Amino acid sequence: MNTARQIHMSIAALLFVSVACASLPAISTPDTGVISTAAAQTVIAGLTQQNTVQATPSAASTITLTSEQPKLPATETSMPTHTLTQTFTATPAFTPTLAIPLISVSTATNCRSGPGKVYDMKGALLVGEFAEVYGRDPGNNYWYIRNPHPGSEFCWVWGKYATIIGPTLLLPILTPPPTPTPTFTPTPFPDFQARYIRLDKCNGKWWVEIRLKNNGALPLKSMSISVRDKVTGKIFTDITDGFTNKDGCLAKTTKDILASGATYMLSGPVFNYELTGHRLKVTITLCSSKGQKGMCITKTLEFKP
């Protein structure tokens, strides 16, 4: 029994081995030369393909060369910024100062509220004084100045007797104010009006009578009057402190001071012949102090009695 069983088991083992051998693929001994040749051909083909792609890339493929850079942490994505703390001493900026032109006059000149005689008088620019110039009229005939005397802060002065020191091209051209209705305003320097009235006489002596009016703000205290007969060429002169009037042969009056706004009839020097029909030239100088001192102003008249 055991023998039969062993026989059966041997047959079964043989059958199993046969089936297993039939299912396995055939195993052949590898040819090392063939393997080496195939590997070399594979490497050459790869290199050839790589060179071909680099030299003439096809339209169907895009090659992007990327240079790998080490990635920085999020806080180092940009260059570090350093804040330098330094204390500087500020240098004062140079600001150029434009010189303001200065004006002076060779003859005392009225300063008015506008550029013209129709404007009210606001002051005067006297000989020896300087004033700052801030503007001009369109014709460059009048200058807008700072008033050197109390009253209006600015006024216009005529440029006929003026000398200006400093740049004037940059001065603004100012529009004249509306023309006012002229009113009498005393000037801050001596000024007067003189008008011939008549001839007077006494005992063969002749003289002219001149009506004076003080138009200035200053009182007048001395005077000189000169009368020249243009027919005979004779000149007669009186120089006095105060003012004198001779009323024919009746009386003689004097006045020490001719106040601002006051009027007075002044008698001229005496001629020893009749002056009727003779052409006369009268020159009068009035001063603010005695002895023909202080501020003085002169007026001239010509007439035929």
Side-chain angles (χ1 to χ4, degrees):
M1 178 118 180
N2 290 335
T3 301
R5 188 171 181 172
Q6 290 177 351
I7 292 171
H8 288 161
M9 293 180 63
S10 297
I11 293 169
L14 290 172
L15 291 174
F16 177 78
V17 171
S18 296
V19 172
C21 290
S23 62
L24 291 174
I27 299 175
S28 60
T29 303
D31 186 346
T32 58
V34 174
I35 293 173
S36 299
T37 300
Q41 290 175 346
T42 302
V43 172
I44 291 171
L47 293 174
T48 302
Q49 182 179 5
Q50 182 178 0
N51 291 336
T52 302
V53 170
Q54 292 177 351
T56 55
S58 63
S61 63
T62 302
I63 298 175
T64 304
L65 299 178
T66 304
S67 177
E68 292 288 339
Q69 297 292 338
K71 295 183 178 181
L72 298 175
T75 58
E76 299 180 4
T77 56
S78 60
M79 293 299 292
T81 300
H82 299 281
T83 302
L84 299 179
T85 302
Q86 188 172 0
T87 302
F88 295 94
T89 301
T91 301
F94 172 73
T95 303
T97 302
L98 296 178
I100 298 176
L102 297 178
I103 188 172
S104 61
V105 291
S106 59
T107 299
T109 305
N110 292 327
C111 200
R112 301 176 180 271
S113 60
K117 292 183 178 180
V118 298
Y119 292 93
D120 297 335
M121 290 185 289
K122 297 298 181 181
L125 187 61
L126 305 179
V127 177
E129 292 182 334
F130 287 87
E132 297 174 341
V133 184
Y134 289 93
R136 50 186 171 149
D137 75 322
N140 288 335
N141 295 317
Y142 284 82
W143 303 95
Y144 189 65
I145 70 170
R146 185 182 296 278
N147 191 350
H149 296 276
S152 177
E153 184 177 4
F154 294 95
C155 55
W156 293 84
V157 67
W158 190 23
K160 180 177 181 179
Y161 305 107
T163 299
I164 298 179
I165 302 173
T168 60
L169 293 178
L170 298 180
L171 288 174
I173 297 176
L174 304 179
T175 302
T179 303
T181 301
T183 57
F184 171 74
T185 301
T187 61
F189 61 91
D191 187 26
F192 67 93
Q193 181 185 51
R195 184 163 61 93
Y196 168 70
I197 301 299
R198 64 178 181 269
L199 279 176
D200 206 348
K201 64 179 181 177
C202 179
N203 297 327
K205 306 293 184 182
W206 298 79
W207 61 88
V208 295
E209 296 283 346
I210 304 294
R211 182 179 180 272
L212 299 178
K213 180 181 179 182
N214 185 354
N215 287 337
L218 299 178
L220 302 173
K221 298 180 181 180
S222 62
M223 70 94 193
S224 68
I225 180 170
S226 174
V227 181
R228 177 174 179 261
D229 185 347
K230 299 183 77 172
V231 174
T232 65
K234 292 184 178 181
I235 301 174
F236 292 87
T237 302
D238 281 345
I239 299 175
T240 64
D241 289 339
F243 309 91
T244 301
N245 174 253
K246 298 183 287 288
D247 186 8
C249 297
L250 298 179
K252 181 174 73 173
T253 61
T254 59
K255 193 175 187 68
D256 293 333
I257 297 175
L258 185 61
S260 175
T263 60
Y264 189 74
M265 190 70 72
L266 176 69
S267 297
V270 175
F271 282 72
N272 57 5
Y273 60 87
E274 186 176 355
L275 297 172
T276 302
H278 290 215
R279 189 73 182 175
L280 304 179
K281 181 178 179 180
V282 179
T283 302
I284 303 172
T285 299
L286 305 183
C287 300
S288 61
S289 299
K290 292 182 178 182
Q292 291 72 55
K293 296 180 181 179
M295 290 187 287
C296 302
I297 189 169
T298 300
K299 298 286 180 77
T300 300
L301 304 174
E302 284 198 27
F303 53 88
K304 183 186 292 186

